[in-house]
Every structure is written in C-alpha cells, then in structure tokens.
Amino acid sequence: MTYYQGRLALAQGDAATARDKFASIVDIFEKRKSRIGLFVFSLNGLARSRIALGDAAGAVKAAGRAVEVAASFVEPGTPSYLVGLSKLALGDAQLALGEGDVAQASYREALDHLVVTLGTDHPATAGARRVMQSRAGS
C-alpha cells in the first residue's frame, strides 16, 4: 500500500510525500533483503521523487540501486524490462545531475532492454526513444 501511496503522491505533484513513502518501503525491502519486482519499482519511484525535489545525486543513488536489484533477477546479458525501466530512471537522474553523455548511454541501454522485453510500441520504450532523440538534437 505504501508504494501506491507514493505513486499517487508523485502523480499529484507532492514529491516530498512520495519520497518519504518510497524511502520507507525501500528501507523495509532492504532490511528484509527482498528480491521482488516491487522493490525495483519502489527504488525507481524514489529516484523520480528525488529528481522532482532537486536531489539529483540522491536520485542517481536510488536508480543505480534499482539497476543492481533488477540485474540480480536475470543472468548477465539477458534482457529485462526491470533493468530497462531502471536504466531509464538512471538516465533521467544522470541528466538532472548534468551528466548528459553518461545519461545518453543509460538511455541507450534502457532502450535496448525495453525494445526486446516490452516491444517497440510500449509507452516506456517510446519514452526512452523520445528522450534519446531529443538529446541527440541538443
């Protein structure tokens, strides 16, 4: 329930409440050494709320942890939508930190995962493609 409260708060523009909700559930998942997809989604939510609050360094940390957890679910080199979504959040955090070239690489990796696992028409895949194209033009 806490995860969904965080999602709702973020959608309503209340990034501080979202951050607190996501942080509390991430803390529980970390303490329990949880290995479930909701842990990855919670870390990505924490990263997005930190971006909204101007805490790009904290967002990079949360998204990086999301990539680590997501990658632990699959064999190395295996496409994963969780890795793709986490790389997308990481790219957004890196971009917010001013690391455009590093972000571009994260977006490329996100797109590689998302195309294979979610398909070319999925909103997450389209979003990754859009941000890459807009970055290529800048």
Side-chain angles (χ1 to χ4, degrees), residues 7 41 81-82 84-85 88 110-111 113-130:
R7 292 261 326 244
F41 290 126
Y81 80 97
L82 288 174
L85 294 173
L88 190 56
L111 188 59
H113 282 271
L114 296 173
V115 164
V116 172
T117 57
L118 298 179
T120 58
D121 295 330
H122 190 277
T125 307
R129 188 177 302 107
R130 262 193 315 277

Side-chain angles (χ1 to χ4, degrees), residues 3-4 7 10 22 25-26 29 36-48 62 66 69-70 73 81-83 85-86 89 118:
Y3 166 77
Y4 293 104
R7 292 261 326 244
L10 194 55
F22 289 128
I25 196 68
V26 163
F29 287 143
I36 61 173
L38 193 57
F39 186 14
V40 176
F41 290 126
S42 298
L43 285 161
N44 285 332
L46 181 58
R48 296 208 178 281
V69 173
F73 297 157
Y81 80 97
L82 288 174
V83 171
L85 294 173
S86 299
L118 298 179

Side-chain angles (χ1 to χ4, degrees), residues 15-119:
T17 297
R19 177 203 53 214
D20 295 345
K21 295 292 184 182
F22 289 128
S24 72
I25 196 68
V26 163
D27 186 52
I28 291 168
F29 287 143
E30 289 284 10
K31 286 178 182 173
R32 292 182 181 172
K33 298 183 181 356
S34 298
R35 289 186 34 90
I36 61 173
L38 193 57
F39 186 14
V40 176
F41 290 126
S42 298
L43 285 161
N44 285 332
L46 181 58
R48 296 208 178 281
S49 62
R50 286 183 170 165
I51 290 169
L53 291 168
D55 178 13
V60 167
K61 183 178 176 185
R65 180 70 177 127
V67 171
E68 289 173 10
V69 173
S72 75
F73 297 157
V74 295
E75 293 295 321
T78 303
S80 162
Y81 80 97
L82 288 174
V83 171
L85 294 173
S86 299
K87 288 281 188 172
L88 190 56
L90 181 59
D92 290 344
Q94 292 163 332
L95 191 59
L97 196 59
E99 298 177 342
D101 291 341
V102 177
Q104 188 72 8
S106 293
Y107 290 137
R108 163 73 3 226
E109 292 174 25
L111 188 59
D112 290 345
H113 282 271
L114 296 173
V115 164
V116 172
T117 57
L118 298 179

